[in-house]
Amino acid sequence: MKAEQLARKCTWDADQVDSSDLLWYIPGQRLISEKSMKQGQVSVRQIPIGCMQPKGIKNLWVLGPCSNIPGETAGKIMRPVPAIALGEILGETVSHRMKNIPAPSLGIVKQSAGKGETYGQVCELLQPLRKVWNKGFISSPSGTLPVLGTYDVVVMGDGTAGAAAGITAAKNGARTLVLDYLHGLGGMTTLGMIGRYWDGFREGYSATIDKGVRDIAPADHPRQLKDWEEETLADWKMEWYRRELEKAGGKLWYGVMGCGAVVENNQVKGVVIATPLCRGVILSKVIIDSTGSADIAIAAGASFDYIGKKTLAVQGAGMGKRDPGDFYNNNDWLFIDDSDILDVTRSFVQGKEKLKGHYDMVKIPQTRERRRVIGEYTISVYDILNHRRYADTIFYHRSSFDTHGMIMDPYFILSPPMERHKIYDADVPLRSLLPKGLDGIITTGLGASAHRDAMPVIRMQPCLQNQGYAVGYLAALSVKENRPIRKMDIKNPAASGSDREFVGTCPDG
């Protein structure tokens, strides 16, 4: 992970319009296989099939540069055309050999024999992709997971709120790790190609971000955007976030899936992750769940609300194109169940057909409807209409009821929000980010506790960037004072020499 960040630091250029998701290098390790290959052979068709079969292990093949082949050949087969050819050869070979292989029966997961300290219970969502596809379960006796690191603050998800939260936590002295399955910071703002603000409160840390992105290159650079306070280049913003996190001393891991939580006595003590190399646990004093769907909180046992039995209403979602130089391609031409990976995959397949001929497409479905955690307080439509104030207001939002679809709240059945551009001011309390019954974890973004018809007012990008700042600051202060987030006095936080000028509630104080 460190090597990847170093490579990105050394190769980034303001003139670039895209970069590789993955670090391209020839791995140093080689498989001990059933057969070996002589040095000097470079033709794909000269590679013995046995070089890709691990010695002593049946029914497993390794396709790629880690098979038992010379380094020169490994570099060649990493390129697309030779890789496709080798894949075809191996696929045909395996298809002939599998005819006499019996279907596997359910087995038992082999666990590590190592003994380690017990930190709590591993909680994961172990449901099949769809209930009708339940084919049974593999037995997994009590075992161990490696601890991959210990931090003060772990941010799972480096999107609109998560990136700001990670930077701010690190700036305020917390040992911080930011994790994401994609290979760039900013989430929907950058890799989702929503690079133009709609509504939202533009001051505070949001303004700092906008100015920082503009200053990443000279003012006369040809790629500078005229309306830089409203629009942003995806690759510039990703790099600015990465630099700020590195400058603050925070760590960043890409290609990581958050798949569970470590919980003890309702205290979330860590996040279970899957990396390209292993599955393990990151322990932390505070977990910031910035997945956008409250995935870690829900895995830890938090209740949540979503479309389903209660209603079929779902807000419109998009899959936008991406051509070199693009930064904003917003739309809502389809509906997506964000919790169903098969439906998400379907949206990419459908998008490729609709957008064929373009350079690429967005890397995140542009969904507006996510799972929302049930917090200590749930923001209602009436709270926003009446501009309710709270004793624990942590930040301020401004937007309209831009629903992108059906409405559910009885008030809107009587009086629909027809004025799309009527702006409402909304305070958001800390309690709406705290999953009910759980300590040590705080949610951000679309995973917050709010009625789905209230969410459009509190989901705007500038507001969520400020939200991330406030949450990151509070998490660092919680660690510094050794007090649970629930017990923090946000009206009178300790100064601690930290950047407090952006922490506040609303413009009138």
Side-chain angles (χ1 to χ4, degrees):
M1 300 297 183
K2 186 175 180 180
E4 178 177 359
Q5 297 309 318
L6 178 60
R8 292 181 184 279
K9 177 181 179 179
C10 293
T11 59
W12 189 85
D13 190 280
D15 292 337
Q16 73 182 46
V17 293
D18 196 11
S19 61
S20 171
D21 281 358
L22 304 176
L23 186 62
W24 196 97
Y25 67 101
I26 301 175
Q29 64 270 29
R30 293 287 182 272
L31 181 72
I32 297 176
S33 62
E34 291 291 346
K35 291 187 178 182
S36 60
M37 181 179 174
K38 295 180 181 180
Q39 294 286 342
Q41 294 179 322
V42 293
S43 171
V44 168
R45 299 194 176 276
Q46 289 178 303
I47 298 175
I49 293 297
C51 290
M52 293 175 274
Q53 187 173 16
K55 192 170 185 177
I57 300 178
K58 296 181 179 180
N59 306 338
L60 176 64
W61 304 81
V62 176
L63 178 60
C66 288
S67 52
N68 192 3
I69 54 179
E72 184 180 356
T73 306
K76 182 175 181 178
I77 68 167
M78 288 182 70
R79 299 189 176 278
V81 174
I84 290 171
L86 185 60
E88 290 176 340
I89 293 169
L90 182 61
E92 184 178 356
T93 301
V94 171
S95 68
H96 288 302
R97 296 190 183 187
M98 65 180 286
K99 294 178 180 178
N100 297 323
I101 299 176
S105 58
L106 296 181
I108 297 176
V109 175
K110 291 183 179 180
Q111 296 287 353
S112 169
K115 294 183 179 180
E117 186 177 349
T118 301
Y119 295 98
Q121 181 181 4
V122 172
C123 301
E124 296 179 288
L125 299 175
L126 299 177
Q127 299 174 349
L129 291 177
R130 286 180 177 167
K131 291 182 179 180
V132 294
W133 286 14
N134 190 345
K135 305 296 183 183
F137 295 88
I138 297 290
S139 177
S140 181
S142 178
T144 61
L145 282 176
V147 174
L148 306 179
T150 301
Y151 292 84
D152 293 331
V153 176
V154 169
V155 183
M156 186 68 244
D158 62 18
T160 311
I167 293 168
T168 309
K171 273 187 174 181
N172 284 278
R175 289 178 296 115
T176 304
L177 175 65
V178 178
L179 307 165
D180 202 278
Y181 74 99
L182 292 171
H183 292 75
L185 290 149
M188 198 64 71
T189 317
T190 55
L191 295 171
M193 298 304 292
I194 311 296
R196 179 182 297 148
Y197 293 150
W198 178 248
D199 294 325
F201 181 57
R202 315 290 178 81
E203 303 302 321
Y205 192 59
S206 235
T208 299
I209 293 172
D210 297 338
K211 186 177 184 304
V213 174
R214 180 178 184 268
D215 292 345
I216 204 169
D220 60 352
H221 193 281
R223 295 191 67 206
Q224 285 282 10
L225 298 175
K226 181 180 179 180
D227 298 324
W228 61 270
E229 292 177 307
E230 299 282 333
E231 303 171 339
T232 185
L233 294 173
D235 50 299
W236 285 17
K237 194 164 191 174
M238 287 191 293
E239 178 62 12
W240 185 85
Y241 278 139
R242 198 198 63 76
R243 289 183 185 181
E244 287 295 298
L245 183 61
E246 181 183 59
K247 191 192 313 179
K251 306 299 182 184
L252 175 59
W253 293 6
Y254 288 148
V256 175
M257 295 289 292
C259 52
V262 178
V263 184
E264 184 176 33
N265 298 326
N266 297 323
Q267 174 85 21
V268 181
K269 302 175 71 174
V271 57
V272 182
I273 64 172
T275 78
L277 298 179
C278 70
R279 178 168 164 263
V281 171
I282 302 290
L283 298 175
S284 182
K285 297 175 183 177
V286 177
I287 306 292
I288 299 178
D289 184 342
S290 288
T291 59
S293 297
D295 292 338
I296 306 304
I298 293 169
S303 301
F304 65 96
D305 198 9
Y306 193 51
I307 56 173
K309 292 182 179 179
K310 291 183 180 180
T311 176
L312 293 177
V314 59
Q315 297 190 53
M319 290 294 291
K321 72 174 181 69
R322 183 186 180 188
D323 289 322
D326 284 356
F327 62 90
Y328 179 76
N329 290 312
N330 190 9
N331 54 72
D332 61 353
W333 56 271
L334 76 169
F335 297 101
I336 302 174
D337 181 350
D338 198 80
S339 68
D340 185 342
I341 190 61
L342 300 175
D343 198 40
V344 172
T345 303
R346 181 270 311 172
S347 68
F348 276 99
V349 174
Q350 193 173 353
K352 276 188 172 291
E353 178 63 26
K354 180 180 177 67
L355 303 171
K356 61 185 176 182
H358 292 284
Y359 167 73
D360 201 354
M361 54 195 293
V362 297
K363 298 181 182 180
I364 314 175
Q366 298 166 334
T367 54
R368 299 170 175 88
E369 188 86 44
R370 310 277 184 84
R371 295 183 298 183
R372 304 175 305 281
V373 75
I374 303 298
E376 297 292 346
Y377 185 82
T378 300
I379 301 168
S380 71
V381 168
Y382 313 101
D383 291 333
I384 293 174
L385 291 173
N386 295 311
H387 192 185
R388 181 171 180 174
R389 300 297 183 97
Y390 308 89
D392 60 337
T393 291
I394 189 172
F395 37 79
Y396 164 79
H397 293 242
R398 299 188 76 244
S399 187
S400 58
F401 287 101
D402 185 17
T403 58
H404 282 264
M406 301 182 213
I407 47 179
M408 289 174 48
D409 193 276
Y411 177 84
F412 285 151
I413 302 300
L414 297 173
S415 179
M418 300 303 292
E419 296 181 59
R420 190 181 183 197
H421 291 280
K422 183 175 180 179
I423 301 299
Y424 294 86
D425 296 337
D427 285 11
V428 170
L430 174 61
R431 287 168 292 160
S432 66
L433 305 184
L434 301 177
K436 185 178 289 186
L438 290 175
D439 287 317
I441 187 168
I442 185 169
T443 58
T444 66
L446 272 68
S449 181
H451 188 278
R452 58 93 67 184
D453 285 354
M455 186 57 75
V457 178
I458 64 171
R459 72 173 181 217
M460 293 295 110
Q461 288 179 358
C463 300
L464 294 184
Q465 289 169 170
N466 284 326
Q467 182 189 106
Y469 182 97
V471 167
Y473 173 83
L474 188 64
L477 202 61
S478 169
V479 171
K480 190 176 296 184
E481 297 186 0
N482 196 27
R483 284 197 292 170
I485 289 179
R486 275 183 171 78
K487 302 294 184 181
M488 297 297 296
D489 181 5
I490 65 173
K491 286 188 175 182
N492 185 32
S496 306
S498 54
D499 301 330
R500 297 185 57 213
E501 63 269 25
F502 298 119
V503 179
T505 54
C506 53
D508 59 4

